Amino acid sequence: MNKEAIDEILSLPKQERAGIIEKHRENGVLIPMEDNVFIGKDVSIEPGAVILEGCHLLGKTEIKKDCVIGPGTVLFNTSVDEGTSLNYVQSFESSVGKNCNIGPFVHIRPGSHVKDSVHLGNFVEVKNSTIGESTSVSHLTYVGDSDVGKHVNFGCGCVTVNFTGKEKFRTTVGDHAFIGCNTNLVAPVKVGDYGYTAAGSTITKDVPANALAIARARQENKEDWVLRKKPYRGME
């Protein structure tokens, strides 16, 4: 959580915090357990939204109707459109579209725009990126400085390699692309519409539309290597 968000939490006295929560309840927001819920004075929540325990809603955050926020969610200057569920999510200075299913344990960093009907699953981080409609990034993946199209599927363990140590570059992924498990997309690089990367590939060149990209060494099996080398304990 950034310093500005922490300062906001510390600045409001307990009585004022309770009054803000009660005002939202009277306006039709469901807050079943106010314990550990903090809602800043500039936060906007539409009637019909549900705010679960452990949520911190800060800055100029906006939450539309029929959203379920929490538990354990931190939003700072983030807009969340109607029908979206955020479960153990931290989002800063970003936007989330309609009917998204996000979490648990997702980090949305500043400058990100998550479009409608996106799924971001456990241990996913998005930074300064656009994620197109109905795209799925299910688990253990980093998407940074990227422009991702609609109906894209990211497998487990994918990384957009965006930083050289001096400069940052962008990755572009077209509509309906399939990014196989454990793919590294080394920016600047583009994957065309319906492009497909084989699992375990490190992609350093553009992938044309409708193409399969394979970038991994061929497997070589050395017969009886373990018996000769005895690399494990107890094999002496």
Side-chain angles (χ1 to χ4, degrees), residues 2 6 13 22 34 70 90 92 98 101 113 129 145 159 163 186 191 193 197 201 209 216 218:
N2 63 24
I6 293 172
E22 189 58 33
E34 68 271 19
Q90 293 200 2
F92 301 88
K98 298 179 182 179
N101 179 14
H113 303 284
S129 297
D145 299 308
V159 176
F163 188 41
V186 182
V191 179
D193 293 349
T197 69
S201 293
R216 59 193 183 201
R218 290 186 178 275

Side-chain angles (χ1 to χ4, degrees), residues 139-143 154-160 179-184:
H139 33 214
L140 298 167
T141 290
Y142 171 68
V143 181
F154 278 80
C156 182
C158 296
V159 176
T160 56
I179 309 302
C181 292
N182 198 33
T183 291
N184 296 309

Side-chain angles (χ1 to χ4, degrees), residues 117-158:
S117 302
V118 166
H119 171 58
L120 304 179
N122 53 292
F123 304 107
V124 169
E125 180 176 347
V126 177
K127 174 251 181 184
N128 189 30
S129 297
T130 297
I131 308 294
E133 295 178 7
S134 300
T135 283
S136 178
V137 188
S138 291
H139 33 214
L140 298 167
T141 290
Y142 171 68
V143 181
D145 299 308
S146 298
D147 301 294
V148 179
K150 60 186 178 182
H151 295 280
V152 174
N153 185 85
F154 278 80
C156 182
C158 296

Side-chain angles (χ1 to χ4, degrees), residues 14-218:
K14 183 176 181 180
Q15 185 174 359
E16 187 172 351
R17 296 199 304 267
I20 290 171
I21 290 174
E22 189 58 33
K23 179 181 177 180
H24 284 292
R25 278 177 162 165
E26 292 174 355
N27 194 41
V29 178
L30 180 60
I31 308 174
M33 295 179 62
E34 68 271 19
D35 293 347
N36 298 320
V37 171
F38 180 94
I39 302 176
K41 59 185 178 181
D42 295 323
V43 172
S44 170
I45 310 175
E46 289 189 352
V50 179
I51 311 299
L52 299 177
E53 63 271 17
C55 289
H56 292 172
L57 311 179
L58 308 163
K60 296 185 181 299
T61 288
E62 298 180 0
I63 298 170
K64 299 295 186 180
K65 64 180 181 179
D66 299 326
C67 288
V68 178
I69 308 299
T73 291
V74 177
L75 304 178
F76 178 78
N77 289 347
T78 293
S79 63
V80 184
D81 214 335
E82 60 187 67
T84 283
S85 173
L86 305 180
N87 177 17
Y88 284 101
V89 174
Q90 293 200 2
S91 177
F92 301 88
E93 297 175 346
S94 295
S95 64
V96 180
K98 298 179 182 179
N99 301 316
C100 293
N101 179 14
I102 299 180
F105 313 120
V106 170
H107 189 185
I108 302 174
R109 293 169 57 189
S112 295
H113 303 284
V114 179
K115 302 298 185 179
D116 296 347
S117 302
V118 166
H119 171 58
L120 304 179
N122 53 292
F123 304 107
V124 169
E125 180 176 347
V126 177
K127 174 251 181 184
N128 189 30
S129 297
T130 297
I131 308 294
E133 295 178 7
S134 300
T135 283
S136 178
V137 188
S138 291
H139 33 214
L140 298 167
T141 290
Y142 171 68
V143 181
D145 299 308
S146 298
D147 301 294
V148 179
K150 60 186 178 182
H151 295 280
V152 174
N153 185 85
F154 278 80
C156 182
C158 296
V159 176
T160 56
V161 185
N162 59 330
F163 188 41
T164 66
K166 290 185 177 180
E167 298 181 85
K168 292 184 179 179
F169 295 94
R170 294 193 74 81
T171 293
T172 301
V173 179
D175 297 341
H176 302 280
F178 187 98
I179 309 302
C181 292
N182 198 33
T183 291
N184 296 309
L185 298 173
V186 182
V189 72
K190 296 181 180 179
V191 179
D193 293 349
Y194 292 94
Y196 200 114
T197 69
S201 293
T202 295
I203 304 299
T204 58
K205 299 179 181 179
D206 289 353
V207 180
N210 302 301
L212 167 65
I214 306 173
R216 59 193 183 201
R218 290 186 178 275

